DNA sequence: AGGCGTTTCAAACAAACGTTTGTTGGAGGT
DNA sequence: ACCTCCAACAAACGTTTGTTTGAAACGCCT
């Protein structure tokens, strides 16, 4: 629990050092490609410390992800609660709902790289238990789908679920871009060298348009530009 | 080059068998978690065959991905060419552009799982060279951004690029969902047990709304709900 | 038939993997 | 003073990884 001046950290400091190193390396290289040896080397701790403090590699992954996503989701729900308390029985503006969903993830710290991990874990199967993963987002999905249904009473619930899903995809793409794709040239390389707040406004605007689009008809038809 | 009746395949058949097995396993488990031994066992070929035919694991990955994404992108460009030839100088309807972008990926064969690989590789770093990856999509991005700019002349090019990016995210999310997230309960489990054409219509509708949304203001300021 | 280039095969390689072990050092309790 | 517990450590465990090797089996041409 104490820290001496030689640079050696003791006690629970080792835990957080492992978590920090794992979080960074997972975000950079992915889950499956990151070894415990890399993590412990980066953290400056002994190899066995991981199994001592976390039991196994899998539980370390779980804890890293929970520590990353937990505060974000709590902030999301708090944002929604706050806006709802101010609105009484009235439906929340669509922009408010989407902001509460996107802002906590996008604004997370000055370190843009960090949130990339969440985007990655969603795409990597097997490593992280789907049920554990779902438990972390179950409450979020229910709350936001409920608010969206109240704000968009004319949109069928299935359509709302679909568009919520699509918006999550757009948001993950934004998180990916914010992390910076090294070595990726082309029109998207310069795209993310902008303030986070601008990315937030843009993805929310895109989402508003998507949610306000007319419900899909039963068949294909003409459409004006 | 020939196939005898004992089940043993020779010649370039081994190549495609390896490619098929790798494609399937990569999609199911991810790139980093799939070993050459798994691939060769699934393909029913010798372990050394991979290094003989492809040189290395990395080049195998490259070829699997190119074989998967090449036809899709070619179909995308063909779709755009066809519609443009019919339209003359007139801008293409937004729905057409987004359909040409989404349909080839979503409709790929009856095997829904297959296209999940593309969605995964986009999220997995280091395994697939970013520059190689970019080369596969450079032409696509340029063509579609050009058509979008012609259809939406009032939208700043940067805004178009952003929304193109977001739409890709929504499309990837759709591909992910179509592959089926095993063990994932909740409101999204039943979402994708629908015809591909319906998913296509829904994601295109969402994208149309997103692209038609008013452009975001250039700086931070008030915003009405 | 015979030789030749191509392809398949079992076996082995060093390296890296996650995990377990037994021991050591030091702070806190009695 | 002693004992106890927690934390860190080096070392080794048995697997699994991607890759290489050398020989065997194949189809094909002269």
């Amino acid at each position: 629990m104490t820290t001496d001046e030689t640079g050696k950290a003791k006690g629970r400091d080792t835990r957080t050092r492992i978590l920090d190193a794992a979080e960074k390396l997972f975000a950079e290289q992915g889950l499956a490609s990151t070894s415990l040896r890399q993590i412990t080397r980066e953290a400056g701790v002994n190899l066995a410390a991981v199994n001592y403090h976390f039991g196994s590699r899998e539980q370390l992954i779980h804890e890293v992800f929970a520590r990353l996503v937990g505060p974000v989701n709590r902030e999301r729900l708090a944002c929604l609660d706050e806006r709802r308390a101010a609105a009484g029985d009235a439906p929340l503006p669509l922009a408010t709902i989407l902001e509460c969903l996107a802002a906590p993830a996008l604004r997370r710290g000055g370190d843009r790289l960090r949130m990339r991990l969440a985007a990655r874990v969603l795409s990597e199967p097997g490593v992280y238990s789907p049920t554990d993963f779902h438990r972390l987002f179950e409450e979020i999905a229910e709350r936001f789908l409920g608010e969206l249904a109240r704000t968009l009473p004319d949109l069928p619930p299935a359509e709302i679920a679909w568009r919520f899903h699509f918006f999550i995809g757009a948001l993950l793409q934004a998180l990916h871009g914010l992390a910076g794709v090294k070595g990726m040239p082309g029109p998207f390389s310069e795209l993310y060298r902008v303030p986070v707040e601008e990315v937030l406004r843009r993805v929310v605007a895109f989402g508003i348009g998507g949610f306000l689009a007319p419900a899909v008809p039963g068949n294909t038809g003409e459409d004006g530009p």
Side-chain angles (χ1 to χ4, degrees), chain A:
Chain A
M1 297 207 183
T2 67
T3 306
D4 63 21
E5 296 151 12
T6 69
K8 278 193 153 190
K10 304 284 177 179
R12 80 150 39 113
D13 209 26
T14 303
R15 270 188 65 95
T16 67
R17 287 230 265 160
I18 293 175
L19 285 171
D20 289 341
E23 184 178 284
K24 176 187 170 193
L25 291 175
F26 282 154
E28 285 176 0
Q29 317 176 347
L31 269 59
S33 305
T34 302
S35 70
L36 291 186
R37 286 175 162 82
Q38 277 184 291
I39 294 172
T40 52
R41 197 183 314 133
E42 169 90 19
V45 303
N46 189 269
L47 171 62
V50 170
N51 279 279
Y52 176 79
H53 284 283
F54 300 94
S56 70
R57 182 178 185 271
E58 198 172 352
Q59 292 175 46
L60 167 65
I61 292 177
H62 183 95
E63 211 146 330
V64 167
F65 193 55
R67 190 185 69 152
L68 189 68
V69 131
V72 172
N73 280 353
R74 240 173 286 125
E75 201 175 331
R76 282 168 165 159
L77 294 177
C79 175
L80 225 50
D81 288 339
E82 178 185 347
R83 303 305 198 103
R84 168 124 311 286
D89 281 348
L92 296 177
L94 184 53
T96 298
I97 302 177
L98 299 187
E99 274 172 23
C100 284
L101 184 60
L106 287 172
R107 280 206 270 257
R108 203 69 200 151
D111 184 9
R112 301 178 157 197
L113 178 69
R114 188 162 299 179
M115 274 312 292
R116 187 183 198 176
L117 173 55
R120 178 170 330 293
V121 177
L122 259 128
S123 314
E124 219 160 334
V127 204
Y128 195 79
S129 157
T131 56
D132 284 346
F133 170 78
H134 172 259
R135 198 173 308 129
L136 286 172
F137 285 100
E138 187 176 25
E139 199 179 358
I140 294 290
E142 279 182 20
R143 276 282 278 144
F144 276 86
L145 286 176
E147 292 293 350
L148 286 168
R150 173 135 50 159
T151 296
L152 304 167
D154 295 335
L155 210 56
E159 188 86 62
I160 291 183
W162 276 101
R163 296 184 177 181
F164 180 75
H165 211 223
F166 294 147
F167 181 71
I168 295 290
L171 179 57
L172 289 178
Q173 196 78 350
L175 287 171
H176 250 286
L178 275 178
V181 185
K182 284 171 291 197
M184 172 84 107
F188 301 113
S189 58
E190 305 293 330
L191 215 56
Y192 282 97
R193 311 203 63 84
V194 298
V196 183
E197 295 302 318
E198 183 181 329
V199 181
L200 172 62
R201 285 201 310 277
R202 292 196 192 266
V203 72
V204 166
F206 181 81
I208 291 176
F211 271 101
L212 292 185
V216 311
N219 57 2
T220 58
E222 345 278 277
D223 28 51

